Structure formats: structure tokens, C-alpha cells
Amino acid sequence: MKKFSIKTIVAIGIGAALFFVLGRFVAIPSPVPNTNISIQYGVLAFVSAVYGPIAGMLVGLIGHTLIDFSYGWGVWWSWVIASGVFGLIMGLGTHAWKLEEGELGRKGLIKFNVVQVLGHIVCWGLVAPVLDILIYKEPIEKLFAQGLLSSVANAVTTAIVGSLLCVAYAATKPKTGSLDKE
């Protein structure tokens, strides 16, 4: 089993804290019951891209658990798991980039956004509704309305926030070979 570096453990803690704060206090209520529009998935996508799938999954699981717990209605495990799966998908789909070497480019940004859109569709259109049906016996119509809104809203906010974070991060890193003599 691969051990986490101290840097990755700190990133998980900071990522989960940011996920919690953004999801709890910067959420915009939507017309669909129990569904908010928020920007925490951009942070989750970024952390997953930089630190990998397991770190991303843990940030999603921990952060979403804290959000649900803080509202006082109990933890809604189907959505917590979906957040963890989104972090996992983003880490698997984008961790192979050379973001640490300052290489992102147009192709990397397109890949990031294709992966995040597909990830949101899988998580909010499939994982969360199916688990809601299996665990909580929720009405199907409500679940898929929530899933559709969440997929679209999260994809848009992730495209903006996550892309900006990735571009800014890549810009701070020296490009591979940039210090070589010509």
C-alpha cells in the first residue's frame, strides 16, 4: 500500500475544510428541494488533479460528511459517497497530467473539463439517485430532478473554479526544461 506524504495528508485536511466551508456557507439555494448551487466541487476537482484519486475521494467524503453533519439533519450517505466518487473520478482522470511541471495547456484544460462533466453526470445522475433509492427509498422523480440540477450546476461551477485553480497552479510551476541552456 502506498503511503501518503505529509504534503498529501495536509492537502486532504485543507481540501476537506475548504469543501466544507464553501459547501456550507457559500451555497446558493436552488428551486429543487434539498439542492444547492455551490463551488466546492471546483476545489475538489483541483485537489484530485494535483494529489490523486485517493486524496480526492477522501476530501469529498470528509468534506461532504461535515456539511451534512453541520446542517443537523444527519449525514445523507448517498450524496456523501457520490462526492467521494467524484473526487476519485477526477483523480483517476486527471492525475496523469504534468500539472506539477507547469504543463496544462489547452488540451489539459479540455481534458479536465471533459472528465469533470462526465464525473458529475455519473455521480449526480447515477450514483446519488441509485443510492437514494436503495438506502432511503426516495421518490424517483425528485431524485432525478436533484441529479439533473446538481450535474449541470456542479459542472458549470467546476468548469469555472476548477479550471481557474488549475491554470493558476500550473502558472506557478516552472515548465519542464525551462531552465535548460539553449
Side-chain angles (χ1 to χ4, degrees), residues 1-157:
M1 181 175 180
K2 182 182 172 186
K3 290 185 179 181
F4 285 139
S5 69
I6 297 298
K7 185 177 173 182
T8 301
I9 293 169
V10 170
I12 292 167
I14 292 171
L18 280 170
F19 188 96
F20 165 70
V21 169
L22 294 172
R24 180 64 169 93
F25 301 109
V26 189
I28 302 166
S30 80
V32 177
N34 304 322
T35 310
N36 294 321
I37 299 168
S38 50
I39 60 174
Q40 76 262 27
Y41 290 98
V43 172
L44 176 56
F46 168 72
V47 170
S48 300
V50 174
Y51 293 98
I54 303 301
M57 181 181 67
L58 290 171
V59 168
L61 291 170
I62 295 165
H64 202 129
T65 300
L66 291 172
I67 291 169
D68 283 2
F69 186 72
S70 73
Y71 275 114
W73 59 54
V75 177
W76 206 256
W77 291 110
S78 52
W79 286 60
V80 168
I81 292 167
S83 289
V85 170
F86 180 73
L88 182 71
I89 289 170
M90 287 306 296
L92 290 171
T94 60
H95 191 63
W97 294 352
K98 295 181 180 176
L99 203 55
E100 281 292 322
E101 287 83 29
E103 296 178 22
L104 178 61
R106 188 176 307 184
K107 283 184 181 179
L109 210 48
I110 290 169
K111 180 181 177 183
F112 173 84
N113 281 292
V114 167
V115 171
Q116 68 93 357
V117 167
L118 293 174
H120 283 305
I121 290 169
V122 166
C123 290
W124 310 116
L126 183 65
V127 174
V130 168
L131 290 176
D132 273 346
I133 292 166
L134 295 174
I135 298 170
Y136 303 109
K137 310 290 188 250
E138 288 285 314
I140 293 173
E141 301 78 25
K142 173 187 157 193
L143 299 177
F144 288 102
Q146 288 175 325
L148 177 63
L149 174 75
S150 295
S151 294
V152 172
N154 290 340
V156 169
T157 60

